[in-house]
Amino acid sequence: MRLGPLLAPLLLVGCAHATAHAPRTHWLVDRAWAGREPPTTSRAWSAVMFASGQVGKSYCWGGVGPSCFDCSGLVREAWGSVGVGLPHSSEAIAGALREVPLDQVRAGDILWWPGHVALYAGYGWTIEALDARDGVIRRAAHDPYRAFRPPG
């Protein structure tokens, strides 16, 4: 197939853009297995412990507990348990917090994908309110598009 001179560059830009933002698979897990997990703060660890206590609870859209959570509601309440106020949406969280380089992610950081957030629990794991079928779960970390660090 022959592409017109104006169409070919557009297709190449689209491919490069998609490749640049395509997530890897499980590099956070690989990093943990290699023993390169960065230390975290006691406040961040306490937020992780709060989220861990919610595993097994239901998912509900707009939920902030105590019986069900959505993804940003779980993250918001986990950090709220240690006195850090966060907004209740993945986009608002991204707009309110300092972004951290992905290679510096540590326990307590918020992993971000378009329309979804999870709490990095350290050692290659996340805690997240995934969906109505799975609810709040602990699972191997899927590499995020971005990461954010609440103060503390």
Side-chain angles (χ1 to χ4, degrees):
M1 174 169 92
R2 184 165 145 68
L3 299 174
L6 295 175
L7 184 55
L10 291 175
L11 291 174
L12 292 174
V13 169
C15 290
H17 178 73
T19 303
H21 294 292
R24 294 169 290 234
T25 53
H26 294 283
W27 65 268
L28 285 168
V29 174
D30 295 341
R31 181 185 76 176
W33 276 75
R36 295 189 319 266
E37 194 73 17
T40 194
T41 64
S42 60
R43 193 176 202 183
W45 193 247
S46 293
V48 169
M49 292 297 94
F50 175 91
S52 293
Q54 311 315 306
V55 170
K57 292 189 177 178
S58 298
Y59 175 95
C60 60
W61 189 84
V64 293
S67 61
C68 67
F69 296 89
D70 69 5
C71 65
S72 58
L74 176 65
V75 167
R76 177 179 174 249
E77 293 303 303
W79 275 98
S81 74
V82 296
V84 176
L86 296 177
H88 187 186
S89 82
S90 59
E91 295 302 318
I93 287 171
L97 296 178
R98 179 175 65 93
E99 188 166 358
V100 295
L102 294 177
D103 64 345
Q104 294 177 23
V105 168
R106 65 185 190 200
D109 287 348
I110 299 168
L111 306 182
W112 184 93
W113 301 264
H116 184 67
V117 289
L119 194 65
Y120 184 60
Y123 306 103
W125 294 96
T126 62
I127 300 169
E128 55 194 293
L130 191 58
D131 56 31
R133 187 187 78 208
D134 297 302
V136 179
I137 61 170
R138 179 178 180 255
R139 70 175 178 163
H142 291 73
D143 295 341
Y145 281 76
R146 300 169 74 189
F148 299 92
R149 182 167 297 152

